[in-house]
Amino acid sequence: MAKDTPLKPWRLDTLVVSSGRPDRVPGGPINTPIELSSIFHHGGEIAYARDSNATQESLEDILGDLEGGTARVFSSGMGAISAVIDSLAQNSKIVVPRDSYSGTRHLLTELASQGRIRWVGVDITDQENVLENCKDGDLLWIESPTNPLLNIANIAELCSIAHKLGAMAVVDNTFATPLVQRPLSLGADLVVHSATKYISGHSDVLGGAVITRDQEWVRKVTTRRSVGGAVLGAFEAFLLTRGIRTLALRIEKSQSNALLLARRLEGHDKVTRVRYPGLVSHPGHELAKAQMTGFGSIVSFELCGGESDAARDGAERLCSAVKLCTDATSLGGVETLLERRKRWDYEDFTPQGLIRVSLGIENIEDIWTDIESGLDQI
Ligand SMILES: *Cc1c(COP(=O)(O)O)cnc(C)c1O
């Protein structure tokens, strides 16, 4: 699925299955066991499970192979993001898409209020705007597609702008997954993930990851994990490993569902705008085609009424009317979720009537019937 060659001879949709296995010894297990021990006999490499454990190392091998670097896993996506931010020098300036994941901006707002860091929100599709703000910046945070506006950022160009100005570039690759987009190959210094989403795929576990080729950064985030304590439990590491084995199949199905839903929504008279990079009408369509191998499985759409109460109420009515799709936050699971995104804090740039849909792997005809009959009730 990937455009460039992975580190190992297998393709990425093979690596999701083959990586992170125990050595092939007669009678040995083919899956890494859930290693339930917080302590280890003295004299070995690991003494205590806050530093590492075998089940999480298997998952790190898989994620490292997929993204093309060294992975460290964390107890949540925010745990991974915090490990990166906490490793920055005092008063560092972070440049962030203003429509980035709300939790990231919440974290930065908290840290800025303590005088720990500075941050500024930018339009990540506007390279002039990014360049201007990176001049005294230390870290450029990139999301593409963004959440929930699904804007596409030119990752390679933004990384090179950041590097020329002496800043590092980090990509939150949660929405795309490494099967669809590989930011380290596009020039990013670090990739972060909320493994809670597509990597898990089953909405039953929290997890996060940082992946990098820079060994100094591997050391930094490993230290942050050990002393900060955002350690992924062995059972959670097992669930994530089990989930990732089917990532390629799940992505294939949910992406094709997303394109079909986006096209049908575009023709619906109660919908004013559909945001999906796979649509020719999307301003980032050509760029997405160039830097991704697919268009992801998230579709956002806006209902008639602009910023009016009617648009807000209509969107809430649709969310409560659906019977197959689930009105819940989050994304990346086998089940289709939708929500009115503006419900949440830190969604200043989100239109009142915007619905974000995370496509699952159900039959698209059933998903469409459900959403269409919800739209009829507005
Ligand atoms: C969910 C999410 C996060 C946070 O991850 P958690 O696992 O919930 O802590 C970060 N970035 C993006 C893009 C997300 O969707």
Side-chain angles (χ1 to χ4, degrees), residues 5 27 34 39 63 125-126 129 137 151 154 170 185 188 190 196 202 212 222 248 268 274 297 306 330-331 334:
T5 325
I34 306 173
I39 51 171
L63 290 170
T125 64
D126 177 350
N129 186 214
N151 289 321
N154 190 328
V170 179
S185 307
L190 307 176
T196 310
H202 296 79
T212 179
T222 310
H268 198 285
V274 183
S297 313
S330 197
L331 54 121
V334 291

Side-chain angles (χ1 to χ4, degrees), residues 76-79 81 101 104 143 147 172 174-175 194-197 206-207 331:
S76 67
M78 288 312 300
I81 292 170
Y101 176 65
T104 304
E143 280 183 36
N147 176 18
D172 182 334
T174 301
F175 268 42
S194 168
T196 310
K197 315 293 168 57
L206 292 177
L331 54 121

